[in-house]
Amino acid sequence: MATVTLLAALAGPAALAHTPAVPPAPAGPPGEAAPREAAPREAVPGTADRTLVVGRTGLDALPHLNPLDSGWVIQGEINNLMYEPLIRWGREDWAPAPGLALEWEHSPDGREWTYRLDPEAVWSDGVPVTARDAAFTLDLLRSDPVLNGRHGGLVDNFTDVEAVDDHTLVIRVAEPGAVMHHLNNTPIVPAHVWSQMDDPASYRGEPGLPTSGLFSLAEYRPGERIVLSANPDHPRGRPAYDRLVMRNHETTEAAVQALLRGEIDLVDGLNPQQADALRVAPGVTVSVQPGRHWDAIGFNTGARTRDGHPIGDGHPALRDPVVRRALHHVVDRDRLVEIVHAGHAEPGVSIVPPVFPRHFWDPGPERVTADPGLANRMLDEAGYHRAEPDGLRIDPDSGRPLSFRLLYHSDRPVYADIRDFLVEWAADIGVELRPEALSSAPLNERTAAGTYDIAFGGWNYGPDPDEDFAYHTCARLPEEPRPTDLTFSWYCDEEFDELYERQRRETDPEARADLVREMQRHLYLAVPQIVLAYDHTMEAHSTGWGGFGMLPASGGSITRQQADYGYALAAPVPGGAAAGAGGGGGLGLAVGIAAPALLL
């Protein structure tokens, strides 16, 4: 057997902003012990009944809190706080690290994987976590058609899942693949509870179910708030506070004002002006770090079923890559970064951000630059002529003018700024963009139904590429003409699918990285979406709290991790005012427009 044993990341101090990321380190030698991740801090004396209150936008768009049917980043945050994954992302570099599985190994041909589970793992109701829970969960994802829609890319390759004993799980696969090192996106649920459900896919987030993570769900008011209670007897040690509350705000600005009034303790998703203003606010700490989030505009490339039945009402001209490439050539990313992001972002390329250097792709000489003259020539040569000298271009096949609906999130002010640039730039090549502002929930409903032309969107990438790139595969198109949120831009291409399957089967890390870069090149040239920027993570918290564990530890985000470090390591500061303690009578500062400044 080939043994894979990985050291857990240590909880080290974070460095200043803009610290370069480092590539993943190689696995340790065979037989090396695999210690746990560092335990959360001990509770601070005299801080009983402390609550960490987090202001969030977008909770009103969450459809549910079913851990086995989640694709939203906030759902992923909740999952990692409530359920220990088999394998977690290490804090130092996202390298695979022990979770429920303390160590794992595979056969020489890569078709049989053995995971040895932590004998101390326990559900919050006191029942031990066993390999039978893992086998039950994975078999459920294989058999349930709804849940399989989220996890089919992983479990459909399984030929057998066996709990050999309480602490040994064996998975046999049809094809070897690197994703068997990355089982952190699949929460393991308690078989003794979930096996009694008539329909596990219909679970929406009712409190009271046992969990294996640091927290359990205490309250869920859809669209309003999520309340988690700390599990006091967790094997890794209890958190340094009792409750975690995520409270919905219509806009980030509303959350900022709540922070200044002492109503919440932590806010993310700041824009540069908000971050700059909060730098001088008393009792507030601001963090700006390179991030894994990107913003993009996605095209309706032809919403349809797998057999080609049309869905929605997207403009037919956007099925033509020439039109999408021409629009790509009017986007000046550098200007957007300079003006809209005030320098707190990196120009976008593809869906892998540069904080993941092993997989990030640099287009080099193929880089698309802002060149409206070239875009006009491309459209002329493809037959998209103007009806009159300064008028809109006409689609030669449908006879419709190139007038596209542009949906953007009304709760993301930065999108409104980008919108104005895009409208102006598109007009230079005879294309009209008609902006429509929608809050997140109805906008997502429109894109899922294919009733749009172009739409803004954002995504928190990775760390493993498999699930993110799966959203561009033909298998993600629905079998029946119905809405789906499992696809990016309704994109489907056989050449891309072939690359995707090759990277899934590739177990050599460097060979797989080459394929991941080639997938990015394919998407960059086909343009199902235009990745505009990798925005920096901008967060602020009350000085009444500290210890937040960044990912990576060298300088990364506190929130929106695919891990629990941000909240697991947080602790109230003795003597500090915090919302959960009833402190903070308002910091007395109104946040308005401030001159951009580098935040460190």
Side-chain angles (χ1 to χ4, degrees):
M1 302 285 278
T3 302
V4 180
T5 319
L6 295 139
L7 292 177
L10 296 176
L16 294 178
H18 308 296
T19 302
V22 295
E32 186 177 354
R36 299 171 182 273
E37 292 287 342
R41 297 182 179 186
E42 293 297 322
V44 178
T47 58
D49 300 320
R50 294 300 297 264
T51 299
L52 175 62
V53 185
V54 183
R56 305 301 294 267
T57 61
L59 292 187
D60 55 337
L62 288 184
H64 53 70
L65 285 183
N66 189 322
L68 301 181
D69 183 22
S70 61
W72 291 73
V73 66
I74 298 177
Q75 289 173 316
E77 274 190 296
I78 300 299
N79 290 346
N80 279 287
L81 290 167
M82 295 201 299
Y83 298 93
E84 296 281 0
L86 279 172
I87 301 170
R88 70 178 71 250
W89 297 114
R91 253 194 97 197
E92 300 305 316
D93 53 15
W94 283 288
L100 287 177
L102 295 182
E103 60 182 21
W104 53 99
E105 59 189 22
H106 61 80
S107 60
D109 64 1
R111 295 179 185 271
E112 181 174 296
W113 291 72
T114 301
Y115 302 86
R116 293 184 175 85
L117 273 62
D118 183 356
E120 296 183 21
V122 63
W123 298 107
S124 56
D125 61 359
V127 176
V129 177
T130 71
R132 294 175 181 82
D133 295 306
F136 165 81
T137 301
L138 297 174
D139 281 335
L140 177 62
L141 300 181
R142 296 169 71 193
S143 61
D144 188 285
V146 175
L147 303 182
N148 185 264
R150 289 287 182 193
H151 302 274
L154 170 68
V155 300
D156 288 352
N157 188 42
F158 295 176
T159 59
D160 183 55
V161 180
E162 179 186 3
V164 177
D165 56 40
D166 280 355
H167 305 120
T168 307
L169 176 72
V170 173
I171 302 176
R172 300 175 182 89
V173 295
E175 297 287 344
V179 295
M180 300 303 289
H181 290 297
H182 303 288
L183 302 181
N184 67 312
N185 290 335
T186 305
I188 301 302
V189 298
H192 65 285
V193 174
W194 283 70
S195 63
Q196 303 304 309
M197 295 183 183
D198 293 333
D199 179 14
S202 67
Y203 171 74
R204 313 307 287 172
E206 292 77 20
L209 269 63
T211 62
S212 59
L214 292 169
F215 294 87
S216 295
L217 184 64
E219 180 184 354
Y220 176 38
R221 295 183 187 177
E224 297 181 24
R225 69 183 203 160
I226 299 166
V227 180
L228 304 181
S229 292
N231 289 329
D233 300 319
H234 195 275
R236 282 198 282 147
R238 70 179 300 277
Y241 55 101
D242 300 280
R243 295 198 312 162
L244 171 64
V245 176
M246 292 189 181
R247 202 175 84 182
N248 191 62
H249 295 268
E250 288 296 319
T251 64
T252 304
E253 180 61 26
V256 166
Q257 296 301 328
L259 177 68
L260 294 173
R261 291 191 298 268
E263 297 170 357
I264 66 174
D265 302 303
L266 173 66
V267 61
D268 70 340
L270 303 176
N271 63 35
Q273 291 75 29
Q274 292 165 336
D276 287 335
L278 287 172
R279 285 186 72 201
V280 299
V284 175
T285 297
V286 174
S287 172
V288 176
Q289 303 285 348
R292 64 187 183 97
H293 180 269
W294 47 258
D295 284 315
I297 53 170
F299 300 105
N300 185 340
T301 63
R304 60 205 180 281
T305 61
R306 292 183 197 174
D307 62 5
H309 188 283
I311 299 173
D313 60 1
H315 197 297
L318 290 174
R319 302 172 196 166
D320 185 354
V322 172
V323 176
R324 305 197 300 267
R325 289 172 185 146
L327 287 168
H328 200 178
H329 274 289
V330 303
V331 176
D332 189 338
R333 292 178 172 87
D334 291 333
R335 191 174 179 191
L336 293 179
V337 167
E338 176 187 2
I339 298 176
V340 176
H341 294 281
H344 292 305
E346 305 296 331
V349 178
S350 186
I351 68 172
V352 181
V355 294
F356 300 104
R358 169 169 283 182
H359 291 154
F360 177 68
W361 175 70
D362 185 339
E366 293 183 296
R367 185 177 299 275
V368 173
T369 58
D371 189 342
L374 174 59
N376 273 310
R377 291 193 297 274
M378 292 170 63
L379 293 174
D380 286 340
E381 292 171 3
Y384 293 92
H385 300 299
R386 298 175 187 261
E388 52 189 63
D390 294 322
L392 297 182
R393 293 181 181 273
I394 303 298
D395 176 11
D397 293 329
S398 67
R400 294 173 57 181
L402 298 193
S403 177
F404 305 130
R405 296 162 294 179
L406 176 65
L407 308 188
Y408 68 98
H409 298 72
S410 58
D411 51 5
R412 287 290 309 276
V414 68
Y415 286 166
D417 296 333
I418 298 172
R419 168 207 66 195
D420 294 339
F421 282 103
L422 295 178
V423 170
E424 177 183 346
W425 292 336
D428 290 340
I429 62 170
V431 175
E432 180 184 48
L433 299 182
R434 295 179 282 113
E436 297 182 34
L438 297 169
S439 60
S440 293
L443 189 149
N444 293 327
E445 291 172 0
R446 291 274 297 274
T447 56
T451 54
Y452 74 105
D453 299 320
I454 307 173
F456 276 84
W459 191 257
N460 285 273
Y461 174 83
D464 187 77
D466 190 78
E467 179 62 22
D468 297 82
F469 283 98
Y471 281 85
H472 291 95
T473 60
C474 298
R476 288 301 186 94
L477 298 180
E479 294 185 2
E480 302 295 332
R482 56 176 173 77
T484 180
D485 60 358
L486 298 178
T487 177
F488 285 165
S489 302
W490 297 87
Y491 187 69
C492 169
D493 181 270
E494 292 182 0
E495 179 183 344
F496 180 83
D497 279 9
E498 195 273 333
L499 287 169
Y500 175 78
E501 289 301 321
R502 285 174 59 194
Q503 69 81 29
R504 290 191 71 245
R505 297 190 297 268
E506 183 54 69
T507 56
D508 179 79
E510 291 308 317
R512 188 185 187 214
D514 288 340
L515 290 167
V516 171
R517 287 189 286 268
E518 186 59 29
M519 287 194 294
Q520 292 173 79
R521 178 180 182 272
H522 175 102
L523 295 176
Y524 189 74
L525 299 178
V527 204
Q529 72 267 325
I530 299 172
V531 178
L532 302 170
Y534 310 111
D535 46 336
H536 294 165
T537 298
M538 300 190 213
E539 302 162 310
H541 62 83
S542 163
T543 55
W545 288 85
F548 295 102
M550 291 183 176
L551 180 64
S554 59
S557 67
I558 296 170
T559 63
R560 301 177 188 264
Q561 300 177 359
Q562 284 191 296
D564 64 6
Y565 306 115
Y567 301 116
L569 299 175
V573 175
L587 299 172
L589 178 73
V591 174
I593 301 300
L598 181 63
L599 307 184
L600 293 176

